[in-house]
Amino acid sequence: MGRTRGPSVRLRLALSYAAVVVVTGVLLLGVVWLFLLRYVPQESLSGVTAGFVPNRGDLTRAFLPRAVGALVVLLAVGLLGGWLLAGRLLAPLDRMTGAARRAAEGPLSHRIALPGRADEFRELADAFDTMLERLEDHVSAQRRFAANASHELRTPLAISRTLLEVAHDDPAADARVLAGRLREVNDRAIDLTEALLVLSRADQRSFDRSPVDLSLLADEAVELLAPVADARGVALEVEGEVAPTAGSPALLRQVVTNLVHNGIVHNVAGERAGSGVAESAVSAPEVGSVAARSAAWVSVAAAPRGAGAVLVVENSGPVVSPDLVATLVEPFQRGDARVRGDHQGSGLGLAIVDAIVRAHDGTLEVRARVGGGLRVTIELPAGSV
Protein backbone atom coordinates (compact mmCIF):
# COMPACT_ATOMS: atom_id res chain seq x y z
CA MET A 1 0.00 0.00 0.00
CA GLY A 2 1.54 3.32 -1.12
CA ARG A 3 1.95 6.23 1.26
CA THR A 4 1.67 9.93 0.53
CA ARG A 5 5.13 11.40 0.26
CA GLY A 6 5.90 13.90 3.03
CA PRO A 7 8.86 16.14 3.78
CA SER A 8 12.12 14.23 3.94
CA VAL A 9 13.82 13.59 7.26
CA ARG A 10 16.82 15.56 6.02
CA LEU A 11 14.66 18.62 5.32
CA ARG A 12 12.94 18.36 8.69
CA LEU A 13 16.26 18.07 10.48
CA ALA A 14 17.61 21.07 8.56
CA LEU A 15 14.54 23.15 9.43
CA SER A 16 14.80 22.09 13.06
CA TYR A 17 18.48 23.05 13.18
CA ALA A 18 17.77 26.43 11.54
CA ALA A 19 14.89 27.05 13.95
CA VAL A 20 17.15 26.37 16.93
CA VAL A 21 19.77 28.78 15.56
CA VAL A 22 17.23 31.54 14.87
CA VAL A 23 15.51 31.13 18.25
CA THR A 24 18.90 31.30 19.92
CA GLY A 25 19.68 34.52 18.03
CA VAL A 26 16.31 36.02 19.00
CA LEU A 27 16.96 35.19 22.64
CA LEU A 28 20.37 36.85 22.50
CA LEU A 29 18.91 39.97 20.93
CA GLY A 30 16.16 39.93 23.53
CA VAL A 31 18.75 39.80 26.27
CA VAL A 32 20.52 42.82 24.74
CA TRP A 33 17.23 44.74 24.56
CA LEU A 34 16.14 43.76 28.04
CA PHE A 35 19.35 44.35 29.94
CA LEU A 36 20.96 47.13 27.90
CA LEU A 37 18.56 49.31 25.92
CA ARG A 38 16.01 49.62 28.70
CA TYR A 39 18.56 51.58 30.74
CA VAL A 40 18.90 54.17 27.98
CA PRO A 41 16.60 57.16 28.58
CA GLN A 42 13.58 57.50 26.34
CA GLU A 43 14.33 61.18 25.73
CA SER A 44 17.64 62.96 25.27
CA LEU A 45 19.24 64.17 28.46
CA SER A 46 18.52 67.80 29.13
CA GLY A 47 21.37 70.14 29.91
CA VAL A 48 23.88 68.26 27.84
CA THR A 49 25.22 70.60 25.11
CA ALA A 50 28.48 68.99 24.08
CA GLY A 51 28.16 66.33 21.35
CA PHE A 52 25.26 64.07 20.38
CA VAL A 53 23.71 61.82 23.05
CA PRO A 54 21.32 59.24 21.49
CA ASN A 55 18.16 58.30 23.27
CA ARG A 56 16.39 54.93 23.24
CA GLY A 57 14.55 55.71 20.02
CA ASP A 58 17.79 56.49 18.22
CA LEU A 59 19.39 53.23 19.36
CA THR A 60 16.28 51.24 18.46
CA ARG A 61 16.18 52.65 14.93
CA ALA A 62 19.87 51.83 14.51
CA PHE A 63 19.68 48.40 16.19
CA LEU A 64 16.59 46.78 14.68
CA PRO A 65 17.64 46.69 10.98
CA ARG A 66 20.96 45.15 11.86
CA ALA A 67 19.29 42.68 14.22
CA VAL A 68 16.89 41.60 11.49
CA GLY A 69 19.80 41.22 9.08
CA ALA A 70 21.67 39.11 11.61
CA LEU A 71 18.63 36.87 12.04
CA VAL A 72 18.35 36.43 8.27
CA VAL A 73 22.02 35.43 8.14
CA LEU A 74 21.51 33.02 11.04
CA LEU A 75 18.51 31.49 9.24
CA ALA A 76 20.52 30.96 6.06
CA VAL A 77 23.49 29.53 7.95
CA GLY A 78 21.19 27.30 9.99
CA LEU A 79 19.43 25.94 6.90
CA LEU A 80 22.67 25.32 4.99
CA GLY A 81 24.51 23.88 7.98
CA GLY A 82 21.52 21.78 9.02
CA TRP A 83 21.12 20.43 5.50
CA LEU A 84 24.79 19.42 5.30
CA LEU A 85 24.90 17.95 8.80
CA ALA A 86 21.64 16.06 8.31
CA GLY A 87 22.93 14.61 5.05
CA ARG A 88 26.10 13.40 6.72
CA LEU A 89 24.14 12.03 9.67
CA LEU A 90 21.61 10.17 7.51
CA ALA A 91 24.13 8.74 5.04
CA PRO A 92 24.23 5.35 6.87
CA LEU A 93 20.43 5.16 6.67
CA ASP A 94 20.61 5.71 2.92
CA ARG A 95 23.00 2.77 2.63
CA MET A 96 20.73 0.60 4.75
CA THR A 97 17.70 1.61 2.68
CA GLY A 98 19.53 0.66 -0.50
CA ALA A 99 20.53 -2.70 0.97
CA ALA A 100 16.94 -3.38 2.08
CA ARG A 101 15.63 -2.58 -1.40
CA ARG A 102 18.20 -4.83 -3.04
CA ALA A 103 17.24 -7.63 -0.64
CA ALA A 104 13.56 -7.09 -1.45
CA GLU A 105 14.32 -7.44 -5.17
CA GLY A 106 15.77 -10.92 -4.70
CA PRO A 107 19.53 -11.27 -4.08
CA LEU A 108 20.42 -11.50 -0.39
CA SER A 109 24.20 -11.54 -0.78
CA HIS A 110 24.59 -7.76 -0.45
CA ARG A 111 25.91 -6.43 2.87
CA ILE A 112 26.03 -2.90 4.24
CA ALA A 113 29.46 -3.31 5.90
CA LEU A 114 29.28 0.19 7.39
CA PRO A 115 32.81 1.38 8.33
CA GLY A 116 33.78 3.46 11.33
CA ARG A 117 33.61 3.20 15.09
CA ALA A 118 30.69 1.59 16.85
CA ASP A 119 27.62 3.78 17.35
CA GLU A 120 23.87 3.38 17.06
CA PHE A 121 23.86 3.46 13.26
CA ARG A 122 26.70 0.97 12.93
CA GLU A 123 25.10 -1.35 15.45
CA LEU A 124 21.90 -1.20 13.41
CA ALA A 125 23.85 -1.88 10.20
CA ASP A 126 25.67 -4.84 11.77
CA ALA A 127 22.36 -6.24 13.03
CA PHE A 128 20.87 -5.82 9.55
CA ASP A 129 23.88 -7.60 7.98
CA THR A 130 23.48 -10.46 10.46
CA MET A 131 19.79 -10.70 9.63
CA LEU A 132 20.56 -10.79 5.89
CA GLU A 133 23.15 -13.49 6.41
CA ARG A 134 20.76 -15.68 8.40
CA LEU A 135 17.97 -15.02 5.94
CA GLU A 136 20.21 -15.95 3.02
CA ASP A 137 21.23 -19.19 4.73
CA HIS A 138 17.58 -19.96 5.53
CA VAL A 139 16.41 -19.31 1.97
CA SER A 140 19.26 -21.39 0.56
CA ALA A 141 18.40 -24.24 2.92
CA GLN A 142 14.73 -24.02 1.97
CA ARG A 143 15.57 -24.13 -1.72
CA ARG A 144 17.81 -27.15 -1.24
CA PHE A 145 15.14 -28.79 0.87
CA ALA A 146 12.43 -28.16 -1.74
CA ALA A 147 14.63 -29.49 -4.53
CA ASN A 148 15.64 -32.57 -2.56
CA ALA A 149 12.08 -33.22 -1.36
CA SER A 150 10.80 -32.99 -4.93
CA HIS A 151 13.46 -35.44 -6.06
CA GLU A 152 12.80 -37.85 -3.20
CA LEU A 153 9.03 -37.77 -3.71
CA ARG A 154 9.43 -38.21 -7.47
CA THR A 155 11.65 -41.27 -7.11
CA PRO A 156 8.94 -43.64 -5.74
CA LEU A 157 6.52 -42.45 -8.40
CA ALA A 158 9.08 -43.04 -11.15
CA ILE A 159 9.83 -46.53 -9.79
CA SER A 160 6.12 -47.35 -9.65
CA ARG A 161 5.65 -46.17 -13.21
CA THR A 162 8.58 -48.28 -14.38
CA LEU A 163 7.24 -51.38 -12.63
CA LEU A 164 3.80 -50.85 -14.18
CA GLU A 165 5.28 -50.34 -17.65
CA VAL A 166 7.32 -53.55 -17.32
CA ALA A 167 4.22 -55.45 -16.19
CA HIS A 168 2.22 -54.00 -19.07
CA ASP A 169 4.84 -55.05 -21.63
CA ASP A 170 5.21 -58.52 -20.10
CA PRO A 171 1.80 -60.15 -19.65
CA ALA A 172 3.48 -63.22 -18.18
CA ALA A 173 4.93 -61.24 -15.24
CA ASP A 174 3.97 -62.47 -11.79
CA ALA A 175 1.32 -60.09 -10.42
CA ARG A 176 2.13 -61.00 -6.81
CA VAL A 177 5.78 -60.04 -7.27
CA LEU A 178 4.69 -56.76 -8.87
CA ALA A 179 2.27 -56.08 -6.03
CA GLY A 180 4.99 -56.73 -3.45
CA ARG A 181 7.42 -54.35 -5.13
CA LEU A 182 4.76 -51.68 -5.50
CA ARG A 183 3.91 -52.03 -1.83
CA GLU A 184 7.56 -51.55 -0.85
CA VAL A 185 7.77 -48.42 -3.00
CA ASN A 186 4.49 -47.12 -1.59
CA ASP A 187 5.63 -47.75 1.97
CA ARG A 188 8.78 -45.77 1.31
CA ALA A 189 6.76 -42.85 -0.08
CA ILE A 190 4.44 -42.93 2.96
CA ASP A 191 7.41 -42.99 5.35
CA LEU A 192 8.98 -40.05 3.55
CA THR A 193 5.74 -38.05 3.64
CA GLU A 194 5.26 -38.73 7.35
CA ALA A 195 8.85 -37.68 8.02
CA LEU A 196 8.26 -34.42 6.18
CA LEU A 197 5.12 -33.80 8.26
CA VAL A 198 7.04 -34.42 11.49
CA LEU A 199 9.78 -32.06 10.34
CA SER A 200 7.23 -29.34 9.53
CA ARG A 201 5.47 -29.81 12.88
CA ALA A 202 8.74 -29.48 14.76
CA ASP A 203 9.75 -26.33 12.89
CA GLN A 204 6.39 -24.69 13.69
CA ARG A 205 6.60 -25.63 17.40
CA SER A 206 2.93 -26.58 17.28
CA PHE A 207 2.95 -28.84 20.33
CA ASP A 208 2.13 -28.71 24.03
CA ARG A 209 4.85 -29.13 26.63
CA SER A 210 4.60 -31.61 29.48
CA PRO A 211 7.09 -33.30 31.84
CA VAL A 212 9.24 -35.97 30.14
CA ASP A 213 11.89 -38.34 31.46
CA LEU A 214 14.57 -39.01 28.84
CA SER A 215 15.66 -42.22 30.57
CA LEU A 216 12.18 -43.70 30.12
CA LEU A 217 12.15 -42.70 26.45
CA ALA A 218 15.55 -44.38 26.03
CA ASP A 219 14.20 -47.60 27.57
CA GLU A 220 11.16 -47.50 25.27
CA ALA A 221 13.26 -46.92 22.16
CA VAL A 222 15.64 -49.77 22.96
CA GLU A 223 12.73 -52.12 23.68
CA LEU A 224 10.96 -51.09 20.46
CA LEU A 225 14.02 -51.53 18.24
CA ALA A 226 15.40 -54.67 19.90
CA PRO A 227 14.05 -56.97 17.13
CA VAL A 228 15.67 -54.81 14.45
CA ALA A 229 18.97 -54.86 16.35
CA ASP A 230 18.81 -58.65 16.83
CA ALA A 231 18.17 -59.15 13.13
CA ARG A 232 21.28 -57.15 12.29
CA GLY A 233 23.46 -58.58 15.03
CA VAL A 234 23.76 -55.28 16.90
CA ALA A 235 23.91 -55.24 20.70
CA LEU A 236 21.89 -52.55 22.49
CA GLU A 237 22.75 -51.10 25.89
CA VAL A 238 20.83 -48.46 27.83
CA GLU A 239 22.07 -46.88 31.04
CA GLY A 240 21.42 -43.75 33.03
CA GLU A 241 19.23 -42.15 35.65
CA VAL A 242 16.16 -39.95 35.77
CA ALA A 243 16.69 -37.05 33.32
CA PRO A 244 13.67 -34.73 33.57
CA THR A 245 12.87 -32.20 30.87
CA ALA A 246 9.75 -30.58 29.40
CA GLY A 247 8.38 -30.92 25.90
CA SER A 248 6.31 -33.09 23.60
CA PRO A 249 6.59 -36.75 24.64
CA ALA A 250 5.78 -37.91 21.10
CA LEU A 251 8.41 -35.70 19.45
CA LEU A 252 11.10 -36.46 22.02
CA ARG A 253 10.32 -40.16 21.65
CA GLN A 254 10.86 -39.66 17.92
CA VAL A 255 14.27 -38.12 18.67
CA VAL A 256 15.47 -41.07 20.75
CA THR A 257 14.00 -43.62 18.34
CA ASN A 258 15.62 -41.96 15.31
CA LEU A 259 19.02 -41.86 16.97
CA VAL A 260 18.91 -45.49 18.10
CA HIS A 261 17.58 -46.60 14.72
CA ASN A 262 20.34 -44.71 12.91
CA GLY A 263 22.89 -46.34 15.18
CA ILE A 264 21.53 -49.77 14.30
CA VAL A 265 21.24 -49.44 10.52
CA HIS A 266 24.48 -47.46 10.06
CA ASN A 267 26.58 -50.03 11.88
CA VAL A 268 29.29 -52.44 10.81
CA ALA A 269 31.16 -55.21 12.52
CA GLY A 270 34.32 -54.02 14.23
CA GLU A 271 36.19 -54.18 17.49
CA ARG A 272 34.98 -51.82 20.11
CA ALA A 273 37.65 -49.28 21.15
CA GLY A 274 36.37 -48.35 24.57
CA SER A 275 33.14 -46.79 25.68
CA GLY A 276 32.58 -43.37 24.18
CA VAL A 277 29.96 -42.63 26.81
CA ALA A 278 32.75 -42.36 29.33
CA GLU A 279 34.23 -39.56 27.22
CA SER A 280 31.12 -37.47 27.82
CA ALA A 281 30.48 -35.21 30.77
CA VAL A 282 27.50 -37.44 31.44
CA SER A 283 28.34 -39.67 34.32
CA ALA A 284 26.98 -42.76 32.60
CA PRO A 285 28.02 -46.32 33.52
CA GLU A 286 30.20 -48.35 31.20
CA VAL A 287 28.39 -50.30 28.52
CA GLY A 288 27.28 -53.70 29.73
CA SER A 289 28.89 -57.03 29.06
CA VAL A 290 26.52 -57.91 26.20
CA ALA A 291 27.59 -54.86 24.17
CA ALA A 292 31.21 -55.23 25.24
CA ARG A 293 31.36 -58.70 23.66
CA SER A 294 29.69 -57.58 20.45
CA ALA A 295 31.48 -56.12 17.46
CA ALA A 296 28.44 -54.03 16.51
CA TRP A 297 26.78 -52.06 19.29
CA VAL A 298 24.64 -49.06 20.19
CA SER A 299 24.81 -47.39 23.58
CA VAL A 300 22.19 -45.01 25.04
CA ALA A 301 22.74 -42.99 28.23
CA ALA A 302 20.55 -40.33 29.88
CA ALA A 303 21.37 -38.21 32.92
CA PRO A 304 20.69 -34.79 34.46
CA ARG A 305 23.32 -32.13 33.86
CA GLY A 306 23.23 -28.79 35.65
CA ALA A 307 20.00 -27.01 34.79
CA GLY A 308 19.05 -29.51 32.13
CA ALA A 309 19.05 -33.10 30.92
CA VAL A 310 21.42 -34.79 28.52
CA LEU A 311 21.09 -37.82 26.24
CA VAL A 312 24.09 -39.52 24.62
CA VAL A 313 23.69 -42.09 21.83
CA GLU A 314 26.80 -43.82 20.47
CA ASN A 315 27.30 -46.55 17.97
CA SER A 316 30.08 -48.49 16.34
CA GLY A 317 30.38 -48.27 12.60
CA PRO A 318 32.55 -47.08 9.75
CA VAL A 319 34.90 -44.14 10.21
CA VAL A 320 33.08 -40.88 9.38
CA SER A 321 35.01 -37.87 8.14
CA PRO A 322 34.52 -34.51 9.93
CA ASP A 323 33.32 -32.92 6.67
CA LEU A 324 30.57 -35.51 6.36
CA VAL A 325 29.57 -35.12 10.03
CA ALA A 326 28.98 -31.40 9.48
CA THR A 327 26.31 -32.15 6.83
CA LEU A 328 24.47 -35.03 8.49
CA VAL A 329 21.82 -32.83 10.12
CA GLU A 330 20.83 -31.32 6.76
CA PRO A 331 17.71 -32.83 5.15
CA PHE A 332 18.33 -35.72 2.72
CA GLN A 333 22.02 -35.92 3.63
CA ARG A 334 22.56 -39.62 4.12
CA GLY A 335 26.31 -39.87 3.76
CA ASP A 336 27.53 -42.46 1.27
CA ALA A 337 30.04 -43.86 3.71
CA ARG A 338 27.29 -44.62 6.21
CA VAL A 339 24.63 -46.16 3.95
CA ARG A 340 24.30 -49.89 3.85
CA GLY A 341 23.04 -51.51 0.71
CA ASP A 342 19.89 -52.81 2.39
CA HIS A 343 18.89 -49.53 3.98
CA GLN A 344 18.88 -46.29 2.06
CA GLY A 345 16.55 -44.43 4.43
CA SER A 346 14.84 -41.11 3.78
CA GLY A 347 17.78 -38.92 4.75
CA LEU A 348 15.61 -37.05 7.26
CA GLY A 349 16.46 -38.87 10.49
CA LEU A 350 19.02 -36.46 11.92
CA ALA A 351 17.30 -33.48 10.29
CA ILE A 352 14.14 -34.33 12.25
CA VAL A 353 16.19 -34.78 15.42
CA ASP A 354 17.85 -31.41 14.94
CA ALA A 355 14.52 -29.65 14.26
CA ILE A 356 12.83 -31.19 17.31
CA VAL A 357 15.76 -30.39 19.59
CA ARG A 358 15.83 -26.77 18.43
CA ALA A 359 12.06 -26.53 18.90
CA HIS A 360 12.62 -27.62 22.52
CA ASP A 361 15.33 -24.95 23.02
CA GLY A 362 18.02 -27.61 23.21
CA THR A 363 21.35 -28.27 21.52
CA LEU A 364 22.53 -31.13 19.31
CA GLU A 365 26.15 -32.17 18.90
CA VAL A 366 27.24 -34.84 16.41
CA ARG A 367 30.81 -36.09 16.56
CA ALA A 368 32.68 -38.84 14.80
CA ARG A 369 34.25 -41.46 17.05
CA VAL A 370 37.92 -42.21 16.60
CA GLY A 371 37.25 -45.93 16.24
CA GLY A 372 34.34 -45.43 13.83
CA GLY A 373 30.69 -44.60 14.24
CA LEU A 374 29.08 -41.54 15.77
CA ARG A 375 28.49 -39.98 19.15
CA VAL A 376 25.39 -37.79 19.38
CA THR A 377 24.81 -35.59 22.44
CA ILE A 378 21.55 -33.78 23.13
CA GLU A 379 21.05 -31.24 25.91
CA LEU A 380 17.58 -30.02 26.85
CA PRO A 381 16.34 -27.57 29.50
CA ALA A 382 15.38 -29.10 32.81
CA GLY A 383 11.81 -29.98 33.70
CA SER A 384 9.93 -31.81 36.42
CA VAL A 385 8.66 -35.36 36.18
Side-chain angles (χ1 to χ4, degrees):
M1 181 178 179
R3 299 189 182 186
T4 304
R5 181 70 179 180
S8 66
V9 175
R10 184 176 186 181
L11 176 59
R12 283 182 284 175
L13 287 176
L15 292 175
S16 300
Y17 184 79
V20 170
V21 172
V22 172
V23 170
T24 303
V26 170
L27 290 176
L28 290 176
L29 295 176
V31 168
V32 172
W33 174 268
L34 181 63
F35 293 99
L36 180 60
L37 293 182
R38 73 173 184 171
Y39 294 107
V40 177
Q42 184 69 31
E43 302 294 338
S44 299
L45 296 177
S46 59
V48 179
T49 59
F52 172 72
V53 179
N55 55 25
R56 185 184 300 177
D58 297 329
L59 293 179
T60 300
R61 286 188 294 270
F63 177 74
L64 283 180
R66 291 168 177 80
V68 172
L71 290 177
V72 172
V73 172
L74 286 176
L75 177 61
V77 172
L79 286 174
L80 179 60
W83 182 262
L84 296 176
L85 289 176
R88 183 176 181 84
L89 180 66
L90 297 175
L93 288 181
D94 292 337
R95 294 184 60 172
M96 283 184 272
T97 301
R101 287 175 177 168
R102 292 186 62 177
E105 293 172 357
L108 300 174
S109 58
H110 179 68
R111 298 292 182 269
I112 300 174
L114 194 63
R117 297 183 178 180
D119 58 19
E120 289 81 357
F121 284 118
R122 283 154 186 83
E123 290 177 357
L124 178 60
D126 292 343
F128 189 81
D129 284 344
T130 302
M131 182 192 68
L132 282 179
E133 182 177 0
R134 295 185 61 182
L135 185 60
E136 183 182 19
D137 294 340
H138 179 73
V139 171
S140 299
Q142 289 296 321
R143 288 174 177 171
R144 290 196 304 270
F145 179 82
N148 291 330
S150 300
H151 174 74
E152 294 291 335
L153 290 172
R154 185 180 62 181
T155 300
L157 298 177
I159 295 175
S160 299
R161 180 178 179 179
T162 301
L163 291 175
L164 292 174
E165 288 177 349
V166 171
H168 180 269
D169 296 337
D170 184 9
D174 190 344
R176 300 184 63 180
V177 174
L178 173 63
R181 292 178 178 176
L182 287 175
R183 183 174 181 178
E184 292 178 0
V185 174
N186 187 60
D187 289 342
R188 182 188 176 194
I190 292 175
D191 292 341
L192 178 59
T193 304
E194 290 179 348
L196 290 172
L197 291 175
V198 172
L199 189 61
S200 174
R201 181 186 173 196
D203 287 335
Q204 294 175 2
R205 302 194 177 198
S206 56
F207 56 85
D208 297 326
R209 295 177 182 264
S210 59
V212 180
D213 182 5
L214 291 182
S215 64
L216 294 180
L217 297 184
D219 292 335
E220 294 177 7
V222 169
E223 182 178 357
L224 176 66
L225 296 172
V228 180
D230 290 341
R232 295 175 178 270
V234 178
L236 297 181
E237 178 70 18
V238 57
E239 297 287 352
E241 51 188 298
V242 176
T245 186
S248 167
L251 291 179
L252 292 178
R253 185 179 295 107
Q254 181 83 40
V255 166
V256 183
T257 303
N258 279 16
L259 292 178
V260 177
H261 187 262
N262 278 355
I264 294 173
V265 300
H266 299 301
N267 218 313
V268 296
E271 294 299 326
R272 177 166 185 170
S275 173
V277 179
E279 300 171 6
S280 170
V282 180
S283 180
E286 292 291 333
V287 176
S289 57
V290 175
R293 292 196 300 266
S294 176
W297 54 271
V298 176
S299 170
V300 187
R305 176 191 288 179
V310 63
L311 176 76
V312 178
V313 179
E314 283 189 283
N315 64 276
S316 59
V319 176
V320 185
S321 67
D323 293 337
L324 179 59
V325 170
T327 65
L328 290 180
V329 296
E330 296 183 10
F332 305 107
Q333 295 296 321
R334 299 181 180 85
D336 295 338
R338 301 180 65 237
V339 176
R340 292 180 51 160
D342 57 344
H343 182 81
Q344 295 299 317
S346 66
L348 290 172
L350 285 179
I352 291 175
V353 170
D354 181 55
I356 294 176
V357 170
R358 284 188 286 105
H360 285 77
D361 302 317
T363 59
L364 171 69
E365 181 188 26
V366 183
R367 284 171 44 188
R369 298 183 69 256
V370 176
L374 291 177
R375 174 171 172 268
V376 182
T377 303
I378 292 174
E379 291 191 45
L380 296 172
S384 58
V385 178

